[in-house]
Amino acid sequence: MLKIGCHLSSSKGFYHMGEEAISIGANTFQFFTRNPRGSRAKPVDEADVARYLDFAGRHGISCILAHAPYTLNACSADEHTREFALLTMEDDLRRMEYVPGNCYNFHPGSHVGQDIDKGIEEIATILNQILKPQQHTTVLLETMAGKGTEVGSRFEELAGILERVELKEKMGVCLDTCHVYDAGYDIVNNLEGVLQEFDEVIGLEKLRAIHVNDSKNPFMSHKDRHEKIGQGSIGLGALRRIVHHPKLKELPFYLETPNELPGYAGEIRMLSD
Ligand code: FE
Ligand code: FE
Ligand code: ZN
């Protein structure tokens, strides 16, 4: 059975997300650790977490994925912006220990005026400060579309970050189908080739999660606009081949398509059967 879910609002807590996931036929979900604009996180509600863990155990929910605020920039030229990313991610990882054994995904960042190698160095520096040997969360770098000066639209860039991280066993990659297609990896016509390239450059064992999104824009557009499943340039057939691929089908899949809950329920059915 597929491990599949979608992005849910975390504003009402873990138990509520668990109930929503079950209501749409999901067995996992993704959520923002705080307001995506990066404001202060609410304190962890331990009673809510306990209730959620019991519910998740009874309903087979697992592999939930926390997503860092997308406004963080771990490779900004501005030191205070980098410091803010470090403190936010450190706090998020501390909070994730309440739901141990899951993953935490973040956008590597945009190097803006600096060069890409400097950006890669800075991201790795921050990871080396926040990763702890005793943590129970795997931190994932998301593959990016290559909008502006985003780091992480080439597998080599993600490999460059991973190489520089000391606690390698705490790290992995989350592949976003819209982003990689926008970035110029042809998962529609050459899925085998893309997976082979991922394996050679990063290592398929590092792939820990997949964001399943269609794209509003054509191949290699570097735009990053998600579309509903089957209504974009990637299409239902290609996305079904991904979620059922023998090398990928054990991974957790998360929809980040422009939908409300009924739309997500439909997409889970379209991809699962
Ligand atoms: Fe993301
Ligand atoms: Fe994504
Ligand atoms: Zn995106």
Side-chain angles (χ1 to χ4, degrees):
M1 193 169 92
L2 285 183
K3 184 55 57 183
I4 189 166
C6 68
H7 186 91
L8 295 173
S9 164
S10 55
S11 62
K12 291 184 185 152
F14 280 101
Y15 181 74
H16 186 78
M17 289 191 282
E19 281 191 323
E20 281 192 334
I22 292 307
S23 79
I24 58 172
N27 50 18
T28 188
F29 58 87
Q30 174 180 268
F31 61 100
F32 283 126
T33 52
R34 60 189 74 213
N35 179 307
R37 298 271 160 218
S39 61
R40 214 142 63 87
K42 280 189 288 188
V44 174
D45 177 347
E46 293 190 42
D48 170 59
V49 170
R51 217 171 146 218
Y52 162 73
L53 289 173
D54 171 66
F55 182 85
R58 284 186 286 115
H59 289 87
I61 298 175
S62 60
C63 302
I64 60 173
L65 179 58
H67 195 306
Y70 48 75
T71 45
L72 298 184
N73 190 358
C75 61
S76 167
D78 175 57
E79 194 193 321
H80 298 288
T81 305
R82 291 202 305 276
E83 177 75 6
F84 181 71
L86 183 150
L87 293 173
T88 304
M89 291 172 70
E90 200 167 49
D91 184 48
D92 281 349
L93 287 177
R94 208 177 297 129
R95 298 156 57 84
M96 283 300 285
E97 289 299 306
Y98 286 90
V99 283
N102 293 300
C103 290
Y104 176 66
N105 174 61
F106 78 106
H107 295 181
S110 295
H111 64 79
V112 204
Q114 331 188 70
D115 70 31
I116 191 116
D117 294 321
K118 183 91 190 300
I120 287 170
E121 287 289 349
E122 284 170 346
I123 296 160
T125 300
I126 286 187
L127 287 167
N128 283 329
Q129 285 170 272
I130 62 172
L131 296 175
K132 307 279 185 292
Q134 66 274 21
Q135 76 182 48
H136 299 90
T137 301
T138 305
V139 176
L140 309 184
L141 299 166
E142 182 166 353
T143 61
M144 301 310 293
K147 203 166 24 118
T149 62
E150 271 172 358
V151 177
S153 67
R154 305 300 309 164
F155 296 161
E156 287 78 5
E157 296 165 11
L158 299 176
I161 298 168
L162 295 173
E163 266 161 32
R164 289 168 174 80
V165 173
E166 286 148 29
L167 292 170
K168 292 187 168 37
E169 71 281 9
K170 305 294 184 193
M171 293 295 304
V173 171
C174 172
L175 183 143
D176 185 307
T177 56
C178 168
H179 297 176
V180 291
Y181 194 62
D182 273 15
Y185 291 99
D186 193 354
I187 52 173
V188 175
N189 300 299
N190 187 23
L191 178 60
E192 293 307 322
V194 172
L195 293 180
Q196 193 184 331
E197 189 171 342
F198 189 102
D199 195 30
E200 285 165 8
V201 177
I202 299 175
L204 261 186
E205 73 285 354
K206 282 287 167 204
L207 185 55
R208 299 293 302 274
I210 298 194
H211 284 164
V212 189
N213 302 307
D214 214 324
S215 174
K216 282 193 195 293
N217 292 291
F219 180 60
M220 224 147 100
S221 58
H222 303 292
K223 286 266 198 341
D224 188 3
R225 297 281 312 282
H226 303 184
E227 181 55 284
K228 291 180 177 150
I229 302 303
Q231 297 185 27
S233 56
I234 301 175
L236 177 61
L239 293 168
R240 282 185 54 93
R241 283 195 291 281
I242 290 169
V243 302
H244 296 288
H245 191 285
K247 289 183 177 159
L248 307 176
K249 64 183 200 311
E250 305 296 327
L251 292 169
F253 298 96
Y254 309 89
L255 295 158
E256 300 177 306
T257 46
N259 275 305
E260 303 294 330
L261 291 179
Y264 281 129
E267 291 187 345
I268 290 170
R269 279 195 303 272
M270 279 159 62
L271 289 165
S272 299
D273 65 7

